[in-house]
Every structure is written in structure tokens, then in C-alpha cells.
Amino acid sequence: DRWLMTQEQYKKDDPKTVYYMSMEFLMGRALGNNLINLTDYKEVQEALEEMGINLNVIEDQEPDAALGNGGLGRLAACFLDSLATLGYAAYGCGIRYHYGMFKQKIENGYQVETPDNWLKEGNPFEIRREEYAKEVRFGGNIRVEKDPKTGRDMFIQENFESVLAIPYDMPIVGYNNNLVNTLRIWDAKAITDFHLDSFDRGEYQKAVEQENLAKTIVEVLYPNDNHYAGKELRLKQQYFFISASLQEAVDKYLRDHDDIHKFYEKVTIQMNDTHPTVAVAELMRLLMDEHGLEWDEAWEVTTKTCAYTNHTIMAEALEKWPIGYLKKVVPQLVPIIEILDDKVRRRFSDESTAIIDRNDTVHMAHIDIHYGFSVNGVAALHTDILKQSELNHFYKIYPDKFNNKTNGITFRRWLLHCNPRLTALLDETIKDEYKEDASKLVKLLEYKDDETVLKRLLEIKKENKKDLAAYLKETQAIEIDADTIFDIQVKRLHEYKRQQLNALYIIDKYLEIKEGILPKTPITAIFGAKAAPAYVIAKDIIHLILCLQEIINNDPEVSPYLKVVMVENYNVTKAEKLIPACDISEQISLASKEASGTGNMKFMLNGAVTLGTEDGANVEIHELVGDDNIFVFGASSDEVIEHYKKADYSAKDYYKKNPKIKAAVDFITGKQMMKIGCKESLE
Ligand code: 26W
């Protein structure tokens, strides 16, 4: 009822609508979060209790909707919660992958990937909307023909394959406001019914091919985070959900408005990184070919509608498609992209801002920057780096397009739902306001010298740590002690995030303990991380951590003071258990590389101190919480960027000069590791 009411209200008020285009939505579970946002959680919990049913047990039946890799996908999910809570007319648009992020098993010291069949038992949190199905065309060739009426060139796609895009809607419940927005994810279905009795061989072949295309397109999420692989199927996925979403955005606009020239007054297309960038060319195509606009008119509408968020400066993550791929997969966009390139080249001679470079490669970010109205980074430092170095040439041309939107997290999932104990204390002290307005959390400062509140905070942390210990015992048969310091690093495994630096620290501690230098308080070092299946070094680092777990936890001299735990299959649901139980939050990326980070915020919100570098949003967190709550170390981003420029950083020099570093590194290829069969891949 609320869902229908919200949509009717939007129709009446006619507000501007944002379409958040994202290849990834890392939603996690819906049940608990929806109950929280409906403010019915406690009531339902109590009612079930009276019936002898534990709500947590029911929640545990739900698989995570893991339609994302890491930071970018989870940010999209948090934004949907925020948009609904703040009352914005917003749609999330994405893909209904049949298999989400792979499940990680740990076997004999290695990560093993298994498929995530999340739809196996059906999904109660979705509605199939056959009536909004859209046709999406791939491949074939383009014939140019003059329109007899206007004399304009028309690009006609021939010999293409089609699939039918079928939307599934998921409700996005706003917090305590009776509003329900929509996440629309597209599934694919073959357009021609598959007639086994077909006698026409060509038709038969085509029917089989289209059936296969529909099946493969939405089959699986690419498990790469921050690494561009350039696969044809990935490009098909991108065009598939973008074409379907844009067709629907235009159709919906025209149901309530008559002048397509003013589309941008009512619609914004926000692109989550460059993965949805074909939207720029596709919107141009729809406006011209389907809705009769002239090039200049379509250009004006498109450039006022599209906006781009950059999430990474990692060179290997930047999407660059060879034009040959585009010709094969989306030939209908190629003439448009060529004109977009031509217009840029006429205005700017600088090769570095071209759309199609000399090697016939299309730079997706360049399309977004030239033809969108906004380019944003995701933390103050990151936006500065974009302006001053990575995108400096563009910043000089379009200073006004660049802006910063520091990332955020939803407090509903990352506090109210995952930490009911802390929420109860906040309810007693600072009341409810912070749940809708985070800035109201400062009220807690009034209690900074209140012994009973401080004591309660410690008790809450202890109880949360006991819960986590019990959970790890149950799920992985690992025993940890809630009286030790829980030092946690959970995030995708990547060299720039430096789990290996944390591992070296652990080896150093181990060697110290062996020498009789004991830590004041025993330490439990906890990791959770998935490595992209083809990322060899990342897998080696997981192997290293698992070897350390084996050696250290089984060493009776050391394990009373130090333990290592690799949490299997780190995902949103596990994050909800780990984050409230953390003492030290590890945010130790090589400065300049982590665009923002969002785990850093979740841990801080739940009362962990941070150990971190001056990178991403850590910088802004530092300004807000001060030196008592975040401990920063290491090179600044300026220093790191300078080292890259001069190519004057030598890790080997540190290894040679610093005996502690040497001992820790040597340990990795040393005897003990060999004994448990860990040497081979680590050497
Ligand atoms: C094409 C392969 C690929 C896949 C994913 C390239 C790039 C990505 C993402 C942009 C990587 C990503 O998730 N970036 C993270 O985005 C978060 C949300 O803004 C930031 O908090 C993280 O710092 C950033 O690494």
C-alpha cells in the first residue's frame, strides 16, 4: 500500500526524478532492514517471541542479495536507503544477475570460489513487471539512409539480435516516513518463442542464438573490483540494462509530459562510475531516432541530464573499449560516439581529452566528462587529486563541472540494525533525532565525562565481541577471547589496501612474542576479504594470512597473546556482525589510492578507534574525531604521488636497512612456512 501511495504521490507532485544507474547493488538482506525502516522491528520481534519464534532465526534464512563487489556496490545500496528516507523520487536501475558475488570457501589454506545461487528458493522481495518489458538490440550492421522528409541521415540497424528486458522491482523502504522507492533490476528473456518445429533453418538458428544471448547476459556478476577486464559480455550487460532503463525513463516521462525537449527538467541520470556510460550515446540515439529530435536538441537534453561519479584513480580500473568491440556489440551507438569524438576534437586539440584515441580505443570517462553536467569525486582528497592530477586537463576546460560528494553510509543498517545495544543507549541519552539527521550525534559529547555512560559503552562493546566470538565458534570452529583486542581489517583484497602490510605487522608481533616481548593486551587480528579469481597476488596474500593463522593459533607459546582469524566469505551480513565488535579499525591503504572507503565510517560509528593512513575519507574523519580516535601514520598522498613521479621509491632499500622488516619478510619464505606447505606460491 505504501509503495503504491508513494508512486501516486510522485505522479501528483511531479518532482524531478533521479535514476541511479549502477552495474552493482550490494543490498545484503532485506527483512531486518525493512522492519527497522518501518519502525516495526521490536514489535514483530516481541510478537514472534510470544509464539516461541526467534526473529534472528528467521532473518538467517534469507540469502544476501550480493549483486555487487565491494565499495561501489554497497554505496549504491546505502544511497537507495538514504534517498527513500529523505523523500527523493529515485529509482535504482541495475541487473538481476542470476548469480551474484561468488561464495568464498577456505580449503587447505586457499580461497575457493563457489557459485552464489541466491534465487534458488525464490525471492519474496521482488515483483516481476512483464508489462514494462523492453526490447534491446545487439550487433548486426548499420545502413545509412536519407530520411525522405527531412533529408537527414538515418542509421538503420539490420541483422541484429534482440533480447527482451523484463524488470523486477524491489521495494526500498524509507525510514519512518511511509515512503517506498523502487530498485528496478532487469532480467533477460528470448524474444522469439523457441519453436522446435520450425522448418526454416535460419529462423531456427537465430531462435537458438537469441535464447542463448538472453541466458548468458544476466547470468553472472563479474567479480572484479577495481580491475577492468574488457570482456565482450560485460559490454553487453552494460548496454542491456542501460537501454532498457533509459527507454523506460523516457516512456515514463512522456506518459506525464508532452515536451521531450524539457526531459532534463524532470530527470537526472546519475552514473555510478563509467560502467553505465553507454547511456550518453543511447540517450542521444533514443532522442533522435525514436523521438525525432535534431542532433543539437538531443545534445542539449543529454548534456543537461547525465552526471558522472568517479570512484577510483587506479589506472587498471579505467574502462577503455576498443572501437571494434563497440562495432560488434552496439553498432547503433558507434556513429554517435564518432560524432561525439569529432565535436570534442574540433574544440580541443589536446589528445589527452579525446574520446576515441589514436589506437581506436574509446575512453568511457572522457565521454562522461565532456557530455555530462557534473563530475564528482567521493571524498575531499579524492576530488582534489582528480582536479589536480588525474583529470587535470579536464578540470582546466570545465572547472565548474567538478564537485565533491564525500561518501556516506546508512545509519539504519550500520547502527540501528547491526548494533541494537548501542542504539538502545543512544535512545536513552540523545533520543531519536540522529536517526534521520546524523549531525545530531554530537549530542553524545554531553556525556563524555559521564562515568555510567562510558561504562555502558565498554559493556556494549564487550557483549558485541562475545556475540562475534560465539558466531565464529559456531560457523568456523575458531575460538577467540572477547578480552583480547579485536583488530579488524575487512574489505576486498587488493595490493593498494595493503592487507600484506597488516600481515607483516602480525609476523613482527609473532617474532617479538617468541623473543619474550609480550603485548600489554593480547591481540586477535581478524581479516575478511575476497580476492578476484584471476588476481594471483591477492590470492597469495590470502594464502599468507591463512598460513599465519595455522602457525600462530597452533603455537602454544604465542596463541595466548596473538591469534589470527580469516573470516570465510566476507559479505554484508558478516560485516553486520564484525563491525559492532571491533576495537581497532584498519584503514591502511597506500595514501592517494583509496578514493573514499566506507568501512572506515561504519567502524567509527560503532565506536572503534581507527588505525589509518591519510587517505580517502580518513582525512575528513580525522578532522572530525581528532587525534584521540584515529591514529594516522605513513606517507601523505602528496609524498606518494611525488615518489611515483620520480620513480624513486625502493622497497628493497627498506628491507635491507631495517632488520625488523627483513625478519618479517624473510619469515614468509622461511622454514616454518615450508613445514606447513605454504612456501610454494609465496616465494
Ligand atoms: C571495470 C572493473 C571495475 C569494477 C569496479 C572498476 C572499478 C570498480 C569500482 C569503481 C571500484 C570501487 O568499488 N571503488 C570504490 O568505491 C567506493 C565507493 O565510492 C570507495 O569508497 C572506494 O574507496 C573505492 O575503492
Side-chain angles (χ1 to χ4, degrees), residues 24 69-73 75 224-229 234 273 275 311-312 317 319 378 407 496-497 594-598:
E24 306 189 12
N69 271 285
L72 162 134
L75 183 74
N224 289 335
D225 184 83
N226 265 305
H227 185 85
Y228 164 72
R234 165 100 175 169
D273 215 275
H275 318 155
H311 294 268
T312 184
E319 287 191 298
V378 291
N407 282 166
Y496 85 79
K497 295 178 188 282
E594 190 69 274
S596 163
T598 45

Side-chain angles (χ1 to χ4, degrees), residues 465-484:
K465 287 167 74 177
K466 284 188 194 158
D467 283 355
L468 178 62
Y471 177 74
L472 290 174
K473 186 166 177 195
E474 187 189 312
T475 51
Q476 290 183 234
I478 290 176
E479 299 227 15
I480 60 173
D481 179 354
D483 286 324
T484 63

Side-chain angles (χ1 to χ4, degrees), residues 69-247:
N69 271 285
L72 162 134
R74 184 55 230 174
L75 183 74
C78 280
F79 277 170
L80 294 184
D81 183 289
S82 267
L83 286 162
T85 296
L86 295 169
Y88 286 97
Y91 285 89
C93 301
I95 298 173
R96 187 173 180 268
Y97 300 107
H98 292 191
Y99 293 87
M101 187 60 201
F102 67 79
K103 283 193 173 157
Q104 179 194 55
K105 293 245 152 67
I106 294 170
E107 281 174 17
N108 306 320
Y110 291 94
Q111 161 177 303
V112 176
E113 302 93 30
T114 65
D116 165 44
N117 191 358
W118 73 294
L119 294 168
K120 183 173 58 198
E121 292 172 280
N123 177 12
F125 298 98
E126 67 182 13
I127 302 180
R128 183 179 163 100
R129 307 300 298 273
E130 194 94 36
E131 67 275 28
Y132 293 116
K134 300 280 183 280
E135 183 191 345
V136 180
R137 296 178 175 183
F138 294 95
N141 56 284
I142 302 299
R143 185 164 51 83
V144 187
E145 202 175 84
K146 283 246 180 295
D147 186 333
K149 275 189 238 137
T150 61
R152 256 173 52 189
D153 276 349
M154 294 192 309
F155 300 105
I156 296 157
Q157 190 173 8
E158 298 175 327
N159 303 313
F160 52 83
E161 283 182 83
S162 285
V163 297
L164 206 56
I166 317 267
Y168 284 69
D169 287 354
M170 299 178 69
I172 305 296
V173 180
Y175 177 73
N176 194 22
N177 63 3
N178 292 320
L179 296 180
V180 183
N181 280 347
T182 302
L183 167 59
R184 173 159 284 181
I185 50 180
W186 298 88
D187 206 331
K189 186 173 119 175
I191 243 169
T192 31
D193 288 323
F194 186 48
H195 295 301
L196 273 172
D197 58 355
S198 172
F199 286 103
D200 180 331
R201 233 191 298 145
E203 278 303 299
Y204 177 84
Q205 203 58 33
K206 189 159 184 185
V208 179
E209 278 165 15
Q210 294 201 155
E211 181 102 358
N212 281 338
L213 178 63
K215 251 188 218 138
T216 54
I217 236 169
V218 294
E219 185 70 359
V220 62
L221 165 78
Y222 277 94
N224 289 335
D225 184 83
N226 265 305
H227 185 85
Y228 164 72
K231 293 272 189 272
E232 196 178 296
L233 180 60
R234 165 100 175 169
L235 183 59
K236 286 184 184 160
Q237 291 183 333
Q238 296 183 342
Y239 184 66
F240 169 75
F241 95 98
I242 288 299
S243 178
S245 303
L246 285 181
Q247 288 181 52

Side-chain angles (χ1 to χ4, degrees), residues 547-597:
C547 290
L548 293 175
Q549 175 176 318
E550 176 81 16
I551 292 171
I552 292 173
N553 297 4
N554 292 315
D555 186 328
E557 250 171 47
V558 179
S559 62
Y561 306 101
L562 179 63
K563 274 193 177 168
V564 180
V565 179
M566 180 84 199
V567 176
E568 192 173 47
N569 194 39
Y570 176 63
N571 60 12
V572 170
T573 294
K574 298 225 175 173
E576 288 169 20
K577 297 177 196 295
L578 286 155
I579 288 167
C582 178
D583 296 308
I584 300 178
S585 154
E586 298 270 357
Q587 308 299 336
I588 59 176
S589 53
L590 178 63
S592 79
K593 298 279 182 179
E594 190 69 274
S596 163

